[in-house]
Amino acid sequence: MFCVTVILFKLLLVIEGIQINYIKVPPAVQNNTDQSVILECNYSIRPDDSELVVKWYLNDAVVYQWIPPHKPQALGIMKDRVNLSYVSSDDPKMAYRSMQIINPTTNIAGEYKCFVSTFTDEDFSMKSMIVFVPEKSLELFHSGHTNQKINFTCTATEVYPEPKLTVFKDKKDEFENRNYLQAVEWSTSRLPTGRYSVTITTSILLNKIAAGSLVHCELKIPGTGYVKRKSMLYYPPSEYE
Ligand SMILES: *[C@@H]1O[C@H](CO)[C@@H](O)[C@H](O)[C@H]1NC(C)=O
Ligand SMILES: *[C@@H]1O[C@H](CO)[C@@H](O)[C@H](O)[C@H]1NC(C)=O
Ligand SMILES: *[C@@H]1O[C@H](CO)[C@@H](O)[C@H](O)[C@H]1NC(C)=O
């Protein structure tokens, strides 16, 4: 019984006509920078297999299709946004497998899928791409105090997608533990452009922060590796006046 299963399995492997080795989709790109990106779909096809079709989907809609010997086409939202003469391999069965997107913008972010099929077989692979907009401004300031506590407020404007803000103090290098200030109030607003403006207010006891401490606000756009920091020197409240 085991033998039969193994033989069947091997037979299936032999019949396999097409297989995606990998796809490459940039995980994050900045909006509207006039720089193109290339989405690669690397597959292996059996020399005797026929009726090759290569398709790229964005969020389940076909946006690119190549059915040799025809020319590739860009469809739907990707119409007029792809360099259709981009050739990624000398092999006639792979020439137009990849898609070069001219100037990616936020409306073409999402899940990309390369789907390949032949007469006998098919395969697909997916990866997502974020298109982000850096903040217009990032501000950090002290915002009120009592005898015991002081507040620091950090504001980031017009970021996309929604960023995360944290406030911490005294960090000297990347390896040191951060002293996060406690968040006491936060708000996020979505602007008509789709961008986000975010404010976080944090609080710390006056006896926990020494004069001359550095206070930092860090903005991160999740999933992109984009990080921005604003820092200020702290002096006790009386010295602000
Ligand atoms: C990204 O850039 C395009 C082109 O300038 C613009 O229309 C779009 O609003 C931008 N996206 C965001 C979220 O700002
Ligand atoms: C992708 O596929 C081609 C053709 O099968 C192969 O020669 C190549 O090594 C693969 N990798 C890259 C990075 O192109
Ligand atoms: C700090 O901010 C919180 C939330 O806005 C506010 O309720 C509190 O009164 C502020 N504290 C000080 C010391 O200004």
Side-chain angles (χ1 to χ4, degrees):
M1 185 58 207
F2 177 72
C3 251
V4 171
T5 314
V6 168
I7 288 168
L8 266 178
F9 186 67
K10 285 201 164 154
L11 222 77
L12 280 175
L13 281 181
V14 170
I15 300 172
E16 197 170 76
I18 191 150
Q19 189 193 349
I20 293 179
N21 304 318
Y22 61 84
I23 69 168
K24 258 194 206 164
V25 173
V29 296
Q30 191 173 324
N31 192 36
N32 196 33
T33 54
D34 268 328
Q35 277 171 341
S36 69
V37 292
I38 292 165
L39 278 59
E40 263 183 72
C41 188
N42 194 299
Y43 50 80
S44 305
I45 182 169
R46 264 189 13 186
D48 58 342
D49 214 340
S50 60
E51 294 178 32
L52 172 67
V53 176
V54 177
K55 285 181 184 173
W56 279 96
Y57 290 76
L58 167 58
N59 301 324
D60 290 326
V62 185
V63 291
Y64 178 92
Q65 131 179 329
W66 176 44
I67 307 172
H70 303 289
K71 288 189 180 322
Q73 289 176 285
L75 307 161
I77 200 170
M78 216 62 88
K79 210 165 165 27
D80 302 322
R81 305 196 61 176
V82 175
N83 174 10
L84 293 172
S85 42
Y86 176 73
V87 172
S88 73
S89 169
D90 295 336
D91 186 333
K93 286 189 163 177
M94 307 199 178
Y96 296 102
R97 63 187 173 185
S98 299
M99 176 166 66
Q100 181 177 29
I101 304 172
I102 304 155
N103 191 25
T105 50
T106 43
N107 59 341
I108 59 153
E111 189 148 69
Y112 281 89
K113 173 165 80 179
C114 176
F115 179 91
V116 288
S117 64
T118 60
F119 185 62
T120 59
D121 199 10
E122 61 182 46
D123 197 6
F124 70 89
S125 186
M126 300 193 279
K127 272 190 182 155
S128 56
M129 182 173 89
I130 298 173
V131 183
F132 66 93
V133 180
E135 78 289 350
K136 187 167 245 175
S137 67
L138 179 63
E139 305 286 350
L140 174 64
F141 47 93
H142 88 106
S143 55
H145 62 87
T146 59
N147 293 335
Q148 281 123 35
K149 284 186 169 181
I150 183 159
N151 281 0
F152 291 92
T153 295
C154 184
T155 299
T157 60
E158 305 207 29
V159 193
Y160 183 85
E162 193 176 343
K164 295 258 179 297
L165 293 182
T166 51
V167 177
F168 54 95
K169 71 173 181 80
D170 286 340
K171 186 176 163 290
K172 289 182 192 77
D173 62 55
E174 286 301 320
F175 307 103
E176 207 178 327
N177 282 336
R178 290 181 175 181
N179 293 305
Y180 286 103
L181 272 62
Q182 191 197 355
V184 289
E185 191 181 343
W186 50 90
S187 70
T188 300
S189 57
R190 184 137 199 214
L191 309 168
T193 54
R195 299 180 196 173
Y196 293 86
S197 287
V198 179
T199 297
I200 180 175
T201 297
T202 58
S203 190
I204 188 167
L205 288 168
L206 285 173
N207 63 11
K208 296 273 190 215
I209 183 165
S213 293
L214 268 177
V215 179
H216 313 273
C217 176
E218 191 172 84
L219 176 152
K220 280 189 175 175
I221 306 178
T224 65
Y226 182 85
V227 180
K228 206 63 172 286
R229 194 180 284 185
K230 192 87 188 197
S231 304
M232 65 180 279
L233 267 175
Y234 162 77
Y235 289 105
S238 58
E239 296 176 32
Y240 280 115
E241 262 68 57

